[in-house]
Structure formats: structure tokens, C-alpha cells
Amino acid sequence: MKALLPALSFILMLGLAGQAGAHEVHVQVSPTQAALIQLSYADGQPFAFEAYELYPGAAELPAQVGRTDARGRVVFLPEGTADWRLKAYAADGHGTDQRLQVALPEQPAAPDAAPAQGLDRFSRLLLGLALILGGFGLYQFFTCKKRKSTP
């Protein structure tokens, strides 16, 4: 039974390895040119943390929805469409619904792919298994009593 326990533990860890990767969130930051819309009330106060919807051209579904930031700004990537419709509204009834012309930026040359930072999932799995098996080997080395050899 003792010999079966490490094998069962190993199989259990392999089964759970896929579950651990399910909670990963990958983040990629790419320098690009974006459009910035500044919204404010008539008295100059920022239209802060209010809801907005952005529609490309004559689309019926918004391409982007959200809330303005603390300074009343909306930031988005025009992506080939110069004509946009902005609907912004506050709970107290203030708001706007207007068409905007956004100057499309020149598309910069795509940067070369940066080398991956850190280890990919498979490498981390192999590293984890190597550490576990190495730890088990060290445990066995230091805890097992040397057997006497009989002539």
C-alpha cells in the first residue's frame, strides 16, 4: 500500500494540473494610438463615472460600453471607422447623443513579438513535477535505513 500512495498522488496531481491553469489571465500591453473623448458639464466639471455607449457608423449594437473615468474621458481604438456615435448619460438626466468624426491614425508598423516572459504552462508543469519528485527522492534518501548486506 505504501508503494501505491506516491503513484496515486502523482496521478491526482496530473489530473489537477489542468484545473490550475483555468484561472490564468494573460495580459498584453501594446503601444498604439487611441482616440480620446473628453466630456464635461456646462459648468466645466468632468462628466465623471457616467455611462456611455459608442457605436461605429450606423451600427445598432455598441462597439464599446462603459463608464467615463474620473476626468470624464472615454478612450477607444477607432479601428478603421471614422464615423462614430456617442451616447453618454447620467442618472440625473444629463447626457448627450451625437455623431463624431474621428481622424484615423496612421497604422504604425507592427512591433516584433517580444520574447515570452517567464515560463509557459507546460514548462511550469514539468518544473513542478520535477520539484515534487526531487523532494520525494530526498525524503526517501534521508529517511530510509540502509539495509544490512548478508554474505
Side-chain angles (χ1 to χ4, degrees), residues 2 23 25 27 33-34 52 58 66 75 79 85 89 93 136 145:
K2 280 187 174 183
H23 295 283
V25 174
V27 176
Q33 295 181 4
Y52 73 87
V75 179
E79 295 182 359
R85 179 180 175 201
Y89 42 89
F136 181 72
K145 297 179 182 176

Side-chain angles (χ1 to χ4, degrees), residues 4-16 129-130 132-133:
L4 188 59
L5 187 61
L8 288 175
S9 298
F10 180 74
I11 291 171
L12 178 65
M13 283 185 270
L14 279 179
L16 294 176
L129 290 175
I132 291 169
L133 291 175

Side-chain angles (χ1 to χ4, degrees), residues 118-130:
L119 302 173
D120 64 348
R121 184 182 303 175
F122 183 71
S123 298
R124 289 189 307 234
L125 176 66
L126 286 179
L127 177 63
L129 290 175

Side-chain angles (χ1 to χ4, degrees), residues 2-106:
K2 280 187 174 183
L4 188 59
L5 187 61
L8 288 175
S9 298
F10 180 74
I11 291 171
L12 178 65
M13 283 185 270
L14 279 179
L16 294 176
Q19 297 291 331
H23 295 283
E24 291 181 5
V25 174
H26 298 272
V27 176
Q28 179 180 351
V29 177
S30 302
T32 186
Q33 295 181 4
L36 175 82
I37 301 171
Q38 182 82 38
L39 301 169
S40 61
Y41 291 102
D43 64 357
Q45 293 296 317
F47 195 70
F49 306 112
E50 302 296 352
Y52 73 87
E53 298 173 351
L54 265 173
Y55 298 84
E60 292 186 24
L61 291 175
Q64 182 172 319
V65 297
R67 293 197 172 271
T68 59
D69 68 2
R71 295 182 181 170
R73 298 178 296 193
V74 174
V75 179
F76 70 103
L77 301 174
E79 295 182 359
T81 304
D83 183 36
W84 290 84
R85 179 180 175 201
L86 172 69
K87 291 169 79 175
Y89 42 89
D92 63 2
H94 290 91
T96 185
D97 183 354
Q98 59 184 322
R99 295 236 172 242
L100 306 169
Q101 289 296 316
V102 179
L104 297 176
E106 293 180 22

